[in-house]
Amino acid sequence: MYVPKQFQENDRDGLFQFIREHSFALLVLPNEAAVPIATHLPIELQVDPDGTARLIGHISRANPQATLFGGKATALAVFSGPHAYISSSWYDHVNVPTWNYLSVHVYGHTRVLTDQETFDLLRKQVDKYENASACPVSIESMTEAYVRQQMKGLVAFELEIETMQGAAKLSQNRDDTNHAAIVDQLHQRNDTDSQRIADEMIKRRVGKG
């Protein structure tokens, strides 16, 4: 991913936190013909005591991408955060429109998880995403036999993190006057992404000061 220096995010813990908060990702792997295959899916971050970090998830066995895990090709997982259009009419000078956004790209090689690893992953994901439910279900409430039967229809994978790139394009290159104008205009919009980008711009500017 091309990221100008002023927009690069390099703090490992910060990138990990972003991944945890935006876990619905886009996973890309090239097939034998070098054609990229992409799947949208929830992906979990796992960090071992020794610092080794990996992503784990699962897809349908019927998905053509399922046959590509464990190969020599490098996989790419894209985690996207809020984004917002920035109008050039908000500046006090002539300029072009742009887009502010937050994103993390993760690269690494994959392997297929064992049945037990897959079962453990499913338990972790169900517990995580059912946590806010009024009547949460669990792997145990479904029965282990039922879950293992359903597992036949999916393939779980691990992607060991080899490289991470973070981008936080938040008008850091603008002076205080224009930065404040952008924040004000974003706050006047009704969409959630614009509000979140404006809030993040303020937080980063205050932190910098």
Side-chain angles (χ1 to χ4, degrees), residues 30-91:
N31 64 14
E32 293 79 359
V35 176
I37 306 295
T39 301
H40 296 268
L41 73 162
I43 298 180
E44 310 308 319
L45 172 67
Q46 178 178 308
V47 182
D48 295 341
D50 66 359
T52 301
R54 54 180 55 84
L55 303 176
I56 51 177
H58 68 273
I59 64 175
S60 168
R61 191 174 294 275
N63 188 328
Q65 193 178 58
T67 64
L68 305 178
F69 297 126
K72 296 181 180 180
T74 299
L76 165 64
V78 179
F79 297 85
S80 299
H83 57 89
Y85 174 73
I86 308 300
S87 171
S88 57
S89 66
W90 300 346
Y91 301 129

Side-chain angles (χ1 to χ4, degrees), residues 168-203:
K169 185 176 178 297
L170 298 167
S171 301
Q172 297 97 318
N173 55 329
R174 301 303 172 188
D175 61 35
D176 289 344
T177 298
N178 285 281
H179 187 276
I182 294 168
V183 168
D184 179 65
Q185 291 293 330
L186 289 173
H187 273 153
Q188 292 183 43
R189 289 180 177 167
N190 293 322
D191 66 286
T192 301
D193 272 12
S194 292
Q195 300 293 325
R196 292 172 64 191
I197 286 293
D199 292 344
E200 192 67 27
M201 287 175 63
I202 293 172
K203 184 175 74 173

Side-chain angles (χ1 to χ4, degrees), residues 126-169:
V126 170
D127 288 347
K128 174 183 177 181
Y129 295 110
E130 285 287 332
N131 185 55
S133 298
C135 300
V137 299
S138 66
I139 291 295
E140 287 70 25
S141 68
M142 299 178 196
T143 76
E144 181 172 338
Y146 172 79
V147 174
R148 290 192 181 277
Q149 176 63 30
Q150 295 300 308
M151 281 169 48
K152 295 178 181 179
L154 58 84
V155 174
F157 65 90
E158 169 191 287
L159 186 161
E160 184 164 346
I161 297 177
E162 298 169 5
T163 306
M164 287 193 297
Q165 291 179 296
K169 185 176 178 297

